[in-house]
Amino acid sequence: MSDDCLFCKLIRGEIPSKMVFEDDRVCAFHDINPIAPTHILVIPKKHITTIACVRPEDADLMGHLILKANQIAAEQGLKENGFRYVVNTGEDGGQSVFHMHLHILGGRKLNWPPG
Ligand code: 5GP
Ligand code: ZN
């Protein structure tokens, strides 16, 4: 946990959010500024700054996060038409909140390549 991290505050309930899933290791909530009909962020409760900072001891946590993201995407009805996972990493990667998060984007046709 990090005192001044936005997503750590959200996990602690100090910032309101629309949670769609939570367990002891991960949580998922609707993005405050959605860019697709479904836009959910899945995060580890452990404060990990970027996905590039994941350590060997986080391997199980990362597997758990992906399994839960898959479950959420299915529950949101995204499996049939497909969806996109995005993990912006660092400044050039477009990361704005430095607590790693997996974007689930779906509900419309998404363009490729990204800008
Ligand atoms: P990044 O740009 O770091 O990949 O993504 C950060 C995401 O967090 C953005 O899509 C942004 O809209 C979202 N976000 C920023 N502040 C909040 C907040 O207070 N609550 C929620 N639910 N999402 C937020
Ligand atoms: Zn954090």
Side-chain angles (χ1 to χ4, degrees):
M1 285 282 185
S2 170
D3 281 352
D4 54 0
C5 167
L6 183 71
F7 287 171
C8 283
K9 284 182 185 166
L10 194 144
I11 291 164
R12 290 196 295 266
E14 295 167 17
I15 290 174
S17 64
K18 289 201 249 168
M19 282 282 168
V20 295
F21 177 81
E22 181 172 16
D23 67 12
D24 57 328
R25 290 190 282 170
V26 301
C27 65
F29 49 90
H30 290 282
D31 196 291
I32 202 167
N33 185 25
I35 61 163
T38 301
H39 187 173
I40 291 169
L41 303 176
V42 189
I43 68 173
K45 288 192 168 177
K46 177 181 178 182
H47 180 83
I48 299 174
T49 311
T50 79
I51 198 169
C53 296
V54 165
R55 298 163 68 94
E57 59 266 33
D58 301 319
D60 192 61
L61 174 60
M62 291 298 105
H64 181 68
L65 187 144
I66 289 168
L67 289 170
K68 288 301 165 190
N70 284 351
Q71 184 187 315
I72 292 160
E75 286 168 2
Q76 296 287 325
L78 301 178
K79 247 177 118 173
E80 192 183 340
N81 285 347
F83 59 94
R84 185 173 295 165
Y85 286 143
V86 172
V87 184
N88 296 325
T89 305
E91 292 290 336
D92 281 1
Q95 189 173 2
S96 60
V97 178
F98 283 81
H99 178 129
M100 71 154 286
H101 46 280
L102 180 70
H103 294 256
I104 302 175
L105 297 167
R108 67 167 170 86
K109 183 88 177 159
L110 298 162
N111 300 323
W112 190 263

